[in-house]
Amino acid sequence: MGNSDSHAAFVDGVKRLLVEDVTTDERDFWASLLSSPMSIEDIFEIIGPDHVRQLREKRPQNLQVFLRCIVMAMEDVCEASDEKGVLSAVHTTVANTTTRLLTRIVPFLLEDKEEGVVQDILWRPGGYQAPAEAEEASGDAEKVDACQEPVNEPANGGANG
């Protein structure tokens, strides 16, 4: 039952990314999405090419936040590995899910190497800014909206028996 609940939560999370703005402050949302035990087949089935393109074209802020949260989760996994030498079950799941997500998303980001939104997200200091935000921020110092640590290790260190 737990896996079907995780699967449903993952599907709902992806749908939410496509239809409403999601911020980095929504820690429970990101933790749920990135720690869902999803196989590569599940991810490829749930996130179709049109979903990635839709995210890029209609919700570039969400795409940027999604990528940043993936990277922050991967950083958290690396730090846990450095500190403990062994990954907990939660960190292993996050490592697998985030790697699988990037495997699915990145090829569609690179379809058009001249795509301005993708160039801004990946290479512009401060990342992508919507046209209205760009006008407001023109002259502001570099702003990076870093995702809060999306992986919260259980109090018992993730050990289950």
Side-chain angles (χ1 to χ4, degrees):
M1 281 263 195
N3 278 348
S4 65
D5 292 343
S6 295
H7 190 275
F10 187 85
V11 170
D12 291 344
V14 170
K15 286 180 183 176
R16 184 173 171 207
L17 283 170
L18 295 171
V19 298
E20 67 181 76
D21 293 335
V22 181
T23 68
T24 57
D25 297 333
E26 298 180 54
R27 296 176 76 154
D28 291 340
F29 170 79
W30 293 112
S32 171
L33 189 69
L34 298 177
S35 64
S36 295
M38 305 302 294
S39 70
I40 191 73
E41 292 84 4
D42 290 337
I43 288 177
F44 273 58
E45 180 182 320
I46 294 166
I47 302 176
D50 289 338
H51 293 126
V52 180
R53 293 179 188 122
Q54 180 181 347
L55 203 53
R56 181 185 67 212
E57 294 165 10
K58 297 184 179 176
R59 298 257 179 216
Q61 268 320 116
N62 280 2
L63 176 59
Q64 178 168 268
V65 170
F66 192 21
L67 292 171
R68 285 184 177 169
C69 287
I70 289 170
V71 169
M72 292 298 293
M74 293 176 117
E75 182 180 8
D76 185 46
V77 168
C78 291
E79 287 174 3
S81 176
D82 288 346
E83 290 173 12
K84 300 172 187 167
V86 174
L87 290 177
S88 68
V90 171
H91 279 109
T92 300
T93 299
V94 170
N96 288 330
T97 300
T98 55
T99 301
R100 292 169 181 159
L101 284 166
L102 287 178
T103 300
R104 184 56 169 162
I105 295 168
V106 169
F108 301 104
L109 298 182
L110 302 177
E111 285 178 322
D112 179 2
K113 292 181 174 49
E114 302 303 317
E115 169 65 47
V117 168
V118 173
Q119 290 295 316
D120 284 353
I121 289 172
L122 297 177
W123 308 116
R124 182 179 176 275
Y128 171 79
Q129 293 180 349
E133 293 173 6
E135 288 177 22
E136 292 173 14
S138 65
D140 286 354
E142 179 180 318
K143 284 190 336 186
V144 176
D145 183 21
C147 182
Q148 301 298 314
E149 295 176 32
V151 179
N152 294 323
E153 191 66 28
N156 66 0
N160 290 343

